[in-house]
């Protein structure tokens, strides 16, 4: 009953916000108090909170029930995700407050009724976090020595960056976020067009993009190669991976969570960032797509990610000895079964050795035609994989060989438990100086139906036509069990709806395996 009521309350509040609050009406309003539907005895107070640069942020505050005068409580600040209003975390904020936290959530600048323009985790956004902390310390029973940050997606990126700038932050839980913005939406030097277009559209619908964002989106989606370095530098300034030394120096305890199939912020960049952290840290990967791993928790339903987030805050803000710091710090869940696996570090995930699929046959293909192999649909395909074990599929024997290069292994006599990051090494000879190809790793059953295990795009510019060059490409990290009797297949084609392709008309690609530099796919396996 409690869970159902909480979910209904959140849904009602979301609907009210969507219908009644226009994103361009950033008007100040006095603090108000309403009863939280999940519990008539508790209240959430809505506030106008001063942000950086003189703007107003729309926020809400939960305080522990029966808070004692003069007593201080640990503080958790939750900026909202991209395009969502201040009530996003109301179910989790109440749970945290019930367990003894002051929780402040606010609509990120530029969205809905908060002031300012969308800065995409720029300096004003990071300054907002510190401004909200200052306000909470002055206007609530928050403890200046016990401050945590958390959030999903956009909030995850902001809070990681804020932990580099504000040494008061002692703990961070960053869910479905990015540490490296370039590796997230421009991996393999390829624009992730569905991700960028969705974020851009959501920004225009729910907020006010600033001039810098408008220009960046135009250049990015317009494939302005002359602006490439400028865009890369813009992304680096918004990447916690560029500030990892400051994060380590400040010493905040960092928990990272993401989904294997996140089509906006793929998992590789989080894993690399995790390995560079030197303070208390935890890394969790689960099946799903962007924010689906923690989505049910936002409705107050049972959720592993949020449960561990609470434990993380309890350990590093309250000092509770709950065991979260003594467990294996890397926790992953395979897409093929329901159990968790613990590892000492990310490098140990694929410590069972590697299996190499030799790409010995030369393959020639024509560009500009979608062969039927693809990475699926943004947000949908990996969610289907999460909930009903239905990843994108392709009939590998029927893929047109003029437009798809295909290599297959022999049938495996036992289960192959793929864990970590598969890597492609090959030699490419183009007929044009620019081009794009996408590599797919499939689990192929007895009938030739391939289930997508992983994929990644690769784009090149300025190559000499007819001259071969080597390629090393990391596919997106995953955990997937290939059943006995199945094969692994590598498929390469040149068109995928997830990505912008740069193949000129009439372009052709040849994939070869020189004797002195053989081509292969290296697949990491779990120890048996």
């Amino acid at each position: 009953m409690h869970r159902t009521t909480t979910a209904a309350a959140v849904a009602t509040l979301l609907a009210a916000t969507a219908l009644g609050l226009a994103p361009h009406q950033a008007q100040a309003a006095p603090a108000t108090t309403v009863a939280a539907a999940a519990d008539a005895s508790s209240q959430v107070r809505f506030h106008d909170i001063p942000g950086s640069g003189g703007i107003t942020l729309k926020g809400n505050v939960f305080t522990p029930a029966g808070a004692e005068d003069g007593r201080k409580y640990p503080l958790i600040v939750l900026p909202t995700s991209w395009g969502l209003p201040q009530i996003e975390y109301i179910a989790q904020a109440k749970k945290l407050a019930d367990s003894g936290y002051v929780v402040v959530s606010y609509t990120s600048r530029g969205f809905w009724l908060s002031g300012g323009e969308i800065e995409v985790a720029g300096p004003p956004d990071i300054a907002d976090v510190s401004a909200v902390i200052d306000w909470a310390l002055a206007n609530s029973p928050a403890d200046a020595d016990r401050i945590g940050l958390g959030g999903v997606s956009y909030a995850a990126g902001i809070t990681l960056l804020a932990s580099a700038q504000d040494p008061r932050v002692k703990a961070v839980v960053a869910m479905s976020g990015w540490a490296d913005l370039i590796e997230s939406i421009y991996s393999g030097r390829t624009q992730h067009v569905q991700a960028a277009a969705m974020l851009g559209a959501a920004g225009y619908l729910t907020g006010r993009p600033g001039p810098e964002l408008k220009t960046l989106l135009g250049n990015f989606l317009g494939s302005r190669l002359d602006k490439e370095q400028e865009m890369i530098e813009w992304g680096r300034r918004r990447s916690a991976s560029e500030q990892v030394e400051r994060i380590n120096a400040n010493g905040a305890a960092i928990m990272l969570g993401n989904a294997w199939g996140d089509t906006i912020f793929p998992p590789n960049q989080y894993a690399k960032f995790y390995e560079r952290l030197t303070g208390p840290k935890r890394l969790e990967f689960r099946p799903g797509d962007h924010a689906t791993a923690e989505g049910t928790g936002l409705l107050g339903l049972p959720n592993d990610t949020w449960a561990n987030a609470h434990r993380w805050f309890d350990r590093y803000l309250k000092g509770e000895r709950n065991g979260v710091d003594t467990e294996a710090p890397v926790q992953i869940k395979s897409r093929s079964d329901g159990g968790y696996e613990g590892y000492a570090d990310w490098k140990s995930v694929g410590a069972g050795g590697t299996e190499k699929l030799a790409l010995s046959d030369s393959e020639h293909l024509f560009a500009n035609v979608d062969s039927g192999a693809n990475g699926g649909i943004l947000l949908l395909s990996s969610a289907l994989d999460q909930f009903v074990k239905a990843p994108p599929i392709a009939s590998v024997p029927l893929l047109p060989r003029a437009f798809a290069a295909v290599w297959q292994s022999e049938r495996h006599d036992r289960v192959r438990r793929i864990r970590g990051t598969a890597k492609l090494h090959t030699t490419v000879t183009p007929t044009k100086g620019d081009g794009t190809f996408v590599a797919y790793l499939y689990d192929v059953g007895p009938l030739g139906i391939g289930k997508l295990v992983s994929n990644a795009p690769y784009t090149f510019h300025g190559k000499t036509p007819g001259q071969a060059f080597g390629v090393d490409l990391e596919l997106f990290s995953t955990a997937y069990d290939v059943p006995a009797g199945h094969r692994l297949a590598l498929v390469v084609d040149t068109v995928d709806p997830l990505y912008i392709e740069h193949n000129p008309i009439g372009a052709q690609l040849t994939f070869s395996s020189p004797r002195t530099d053989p081509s292969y796919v290296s697949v990491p396996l779990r120890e048996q």
Side-chain angles (χ1 to χ4, degrees), residues 65-432:
E68 302 172 8
D69 290 341
R71 181 180 174 184
K72 297 295 184 181
Y73 299 86
L75 168 68
I76 296 176
V77 175
L78 303 170
T80 58
S81 302
W82 186 272
L84 292 184
Q86 67 199 63
I87 58 170
E88 175 186 6
Y89 303 108
I90 200 164
Q92 289 300 325
K94 183 187 183 304
K95 289 184 177 183
L96 287 164
D98 287 346
S99 64
Y101 292 95
V102 172
V103 185
V104 180
S105 178
Y106 67 92
T107 304
S108 298
R109 71 163 49 221
F111 289 102
W112 295 95
L113 295 183
S114 281
E117 297 176 321
I118 302 172
E119 302 284 349
V120 195
D125 291 296
I126 310 312
D128 284 344
V129 175
S130 294
V132 171
I133 292 173
D134 293 340
W135 181 89
L137 294 176
N139 294 277
S140 76
D143 187 342
D145 294 324
R146 296 182 291 169
I147 298 173
L149 307 176
V152 178
S153 185
Y154 188 46
I158 289 174
T159 55
L160 286 175
L161 288 162
S163 72
Q165 300 299 321
D166 197 324
R168 295 175 296 180
V169 176
K170 298 298 189 293
V172 176
V173 176
M175 296 170 275
S176 288
W178 79 90
D180 188 327
L181 193 55
I182 302 303
E183 282 299 308
S184 294
I185 61 173
Y186 194 53
S187 69
R189 208 179 176 186
T190 308
Q191 298 103 316
H192 296 209
V193 63
Q194 286 189 16
M198 186 279 291
L199 292 172
Y204 276 96
L205 285 172
T206 63
R208 300 167 299 282
E212 191 175 35
L213 174 57
K214 292 177 181 178
T215 300
L216 186 283
L217 279 172
N219 291 338
F220 187 80
L221 296 175
S223 300
R224 288 286 304 275
L225 193 59
D226 60 315
K227 298 291 185 180
E228 181 182 39
Q229 194 56 43
E230 182 180 316
M231 289 186 282
I232 288 174
E233 290 302 320
W234 181 90
R236 284 176 176 168
R237 292 192 295 272
R238 290 159 170 78
S239 297
S241 59
E242 297 291 319
Q243 301 186 40
V244 68
E245 291 82 7
R246 297 188 66 167
I247 294 174
N248 288 335
N250 288 340
I254 308 291
M255 173 180 157
L256 306 170
N258 206 352
W260 293 120
D262 195 320
T263 44
I264 298 179
F265 304 129
N268 303 46
Q269 45 92 30
Y270 245 22
K272 292 176 182 177
F273 175 71
Y274 170 84
E275 287 289 90
R276 296 175 62 197
L277 294 172
T278 58
K281 59 183 181 178
R282 183 180 177 94
L283 177 67
E284 300 182 354
F285 285 139
R286 298 176 176 84
D289 207 310
H290 184 66
T292 64
E294 53 274 345
T296 56
L298 294 176
L299 297 177
L301 301 175
N303 182 274
D304 290 351
T305 309
W306 278 103
N308 287 337
H310 286 239
R311 295 173 64 215
W312 192 256
F313 285 134
D314 288 347
R315 174 66 187 90
Y316 291 102
L317 297 183
K318 290 183 178 179
E320 293 184 4
R321 298 288 179 178
N322 55 20
V324 72
D325 57 329
T326 61
E327 299 170 354
V330 176
Q331 295 284 325
I332 70 171
K333 191 174 185 180
S334 169
R335 293 161 51 197
S336 305
D337 60 45
Y340 282 93
E341 302 166 9
Y343 298 88
D345 51 35
W346 175 248
K347 295 177 183 178
S348 301
V349 171
T354 58
E355 181 168 315
K356 284 190 176 181
L357 170 58
L359 312 180
S360 54
D361 297 329
S362 180
E363 294 280 350
H364 181 85
L365 57 107
F366 294 88
N368 307 113
V369 175
D370 190 343
S371 70
N374 64 68
I377 301 172
L378 181 84
L379 300 180
L380 175 62
S381 296
S382 292
L384 289 174
D385 183 38
Q386 174 186 359
F387 294 112
V388 295
K389 299 291 189 295
I393 62 173
S395 177
V396 174
L398 297 182
L399 291 174
R401 294 307 197 262
F403 309 116
V406 179
W407 297 267
Q408 293 194 78
S409 71
E410 298 296 324
R411 294 187 189 277
H412 295 129
D413 59 357
R414 57 186 175 84
V415 174
R416 296 293 194 273
R417 303 188 188 281
I418 299 174
R419 300 291 185 272
T421 309
K423 299 177 182 179
L424 167 64
H425 175 76
T426 190
T427 297
V428 181
T429 305
T431 60
K432 305 288 185 178

